[in-house]
Amino acid sequence: MTLEERLIRLIETEGPIPLSTYMQIALHDPKQGYYAARPGIGRDFTTAPETSQVFGELIGLWLVHEWRAMGEPAAFRLVEIGPGRALLLHDALKIASLAGGEAFLKAAQLTLVEPSPALRLVQKERLARFNPSFARQLSDVPPGPMLLVANEYLDCLPARQFRRDGERWRECVIGLSPERSLVMGLAADEPRPPAGATLTGDVVEVQTGLDLVVADLASRKEPFRALFIDYGPADRAPGDTLRAFRKGQQVSPLAEPGANDLTVDVDFGRFARLAASASLDAHGPAPQGMFLLGLGAQARLNQLIKANPDQAEEIFNAAQRLIDPQHMGERFKAICLSSSGLPKPAGF
Ligand code: SAH
């Protein structure tokens, strides 16, 4: 049975399901979900570490810097959530070993949070030298001081959507058409959007997964710092931003569940407010371009071009895509959540 047929049966027996349930199943069904069955990084979409090595390298410098700011703990958890093909940490740890970070590397206990068995294999192989262990979710990461990075992870956390209906709000749900195909509709009852949602506009999208990330971070007893990079507006709540991608093309989010990447814009404002109410420090969101320039992107780029003059144009263009506001420089943002009492993180 295809995942689509299983979803149809589920809806026939259970009734229409919230968008967040649909996203969770389409992305993470252990057998037929997108990330389990055919994760398409580099095929369906391209990410910053896949675009230029400069991205991972600067984050490597950031990690060493923040480890020092935390007082150089002799053992700490170095965590990445959703490492994909593990290029970010590959480039980050390579530069750390060059930049006098031997003590950092010695102290780091690499833990990768990755539900996809297919991607775990890739990550294990690429990072074999650093002996990574795996966790299914953030709450399974063992205690201890922690530095965490996650690029393009928040955008695939399930979202609920609510639509204004006169004075009321109604939840967007996935149901069945008379022909038995998946359709988006509005729930018959009238739930209120969850607390903390910004009720402007006629559609409000709420990523319930953000609440869990903040709760998991806030429950840690030792100091930590967590850097998230993703896309979304800085100053308003996302409306309907659900999109599906296949081979770089946008397709319908309901077409062939499990075959396409599903993504929404991240509500950084809400993420920062959730963090503040859990007594965490939040820095940013800062535009990715500014963040990378602040970490020394220009100097690293010059170095690379000098060492590889034949590939100067290619190297320049790739790094430029990350920084240029017309490309990823503005739409992508970095936000850092920390346990309270640490100094301001670099790049913010
Ligand atoms: N960070 C990588 C990959 C981004 S793709 C890069 O920048 O290239 C999204 C990644 O997040 C994949 O590795 C996917 O398996 C993982 N992911 C998606 N949902 C997740 C979840 N709920 N928990 C942990 N990882 C998740």
Side-chain angles (χ1 to χ4, degrees):
M1 214 191 312
T2 64
L3 190 57
E4 183 168 13
E5 282 160 2
R6 285 174 51 208
L7 279 159
I8 290 171
R9 290 208 180 176
L10 175 73
I11 295 167
E12 277 173 343
T13 48
E14 299 261 323
I17 55 173
L19 176 61
S20 50
T21 306
Y22 174 79
M23 281 183 81
Q24 181 66 32
I25 294 173
L27 290 177
H28 292 300
D29 180 83
K31 286 221 172 63
Q32 293 168 302
Y34 178 77
Y35 281 111
R38 55 189 309 281
I41 306 159
R43 178 191 67 220
D44 296 333
F45 58 98
T46 305
T47 61
E50 303 264 334
T51 301
S52 166
Q53 71 189 80
V54 171
F55 187 77
E57 290 175 345
L58 294 173
I59 290 182
L61 297 178
W62 186 89
L63 287 167
V64 176
H65 183 273
E66 300 315 324
W67 174 69
R68 294 193 173 130
M70 278 167 72
E72 308 195 2
F76 72 100
R77 293 281 157 188
L78 177 56
V79 177
E80 183 174 5
I81 310 184
R85 297 200 290 196
L87 286 168
L88 192 164
L89 277 182
H90 171 266
D91 295 333
L93 296 175
K94 188 182 64 195
I95 212 79
S97 61
L98 299 178
E102 292 84 5
F104 165 89
L105 287 174
K106 211 164 148 249
Q109 302 169 301
L110 195 55
T111 306
L112 309 177
V113 180
E114 176 60 71
S116 161
L119 288 175
R120 279 189 183 199
L121 284 180
V122 179
Q123 294 157 10
K124 201 172 173 154
E125 190 176 315
R126 184 158 281 143
L127 300 171
R129 198 153 77 79
F130 304 101
N131 199 18
S133 54
F134 287 90
R136 261 205 71 78
Q137 47 200 20
L138 179 54
S139 55
D140 295 337
V141 173
M146 175 175 81
L147 283 171
L148 179 151
V149 288
N151 183 60
E152 291 212 34
Y153 153 68
L154 295 179
D155 68 276
C156 47
L157 293 178
R160 297 173 71 184
Q161 270 184 12
F162 300 85
R163 216 163 269 272
R164 198 187 286 279
D165 178 15
E167 290 298 297
R168 310 177 305 172
W169 286 92
R170 293 174 68 190
E171 178 153 20
C172 303
V173 290
I174 314 294
L176 296 180
S177 72
E179 296 77 39
R180 238 178 137 253
S181 54
L182 299 172
V183 283
M184 179 95 78
L186 294 175
D189 55 354
E190 310 166 27
R192 290 292 300 166
T198 317
L199 302 180
T200 50
D202 284 335
V203 184
V204 49
E205 203 172 64
V206 184
Q207 270 187 295
T208 41
L210 295 181
D211 303 59
L212 207 58
V213 172
V214 168
D216 285 341
L217 289 174
S219 71
R220 295 192 70 88
K221 305 267 180 288
E222 291 87 1
F224 72 86
R225 183 146 263 181
L227 177 67
F228 297 90
I229 301 177
D230 232 298
Y231 40 82
D235 48 357
R236 61 189 160 78
D240 173 9
T241 69
L242 176 69
R243 282 150 297 155
F245 287 95
R246 184 164 198 180
K247 298 191 180 134
Q249 302 291 315
Q250 203 170 333
V251 296
S252 159
L254 298 186
E256 258 194 274
N260 314 309
D261 184 38
L262 296 175
T263 172
V264 295
D265 280 7
V266 174
D267 187 347
F268 286 103
R270 182 163 174 274
F271 195 40
R273 287 194 300 278
L274 286 170
S277 57
S279 302
L280 302 180
D281 286 347
H283 292 90
Q288 172 173 290
M290 302 296 288
F291 177 69
L292 295 177
L293 286 171
L295 296 181
Q298 196 61 55
R300 180 60 190 142
L301 189 52
N302 294 344
Q303 248 178 6
L304 273 176
I305 287 176
K306 210 166 153 205
N308 307 278
D310 312 350
Q311 298 160 44
E313 198 174 327
E314 211 178 308
I315 295 172
F316 177 82
N317 288 341
Q320 195 61 20
R321 286 187 66 78
L322 304 181
I323 294 165
D324 186 348
Q326 305 287 338
H327 289 283
M328 298 166 78
E330 182 74 38
R331 199 168 135 56
F332 281 73
K333 317 243 169 6
I335 188 167
C336 181
L337 306 190
S338 312
S339 50
S340 60
L342 294 174
K344 189 163 162 259
F348 290 93

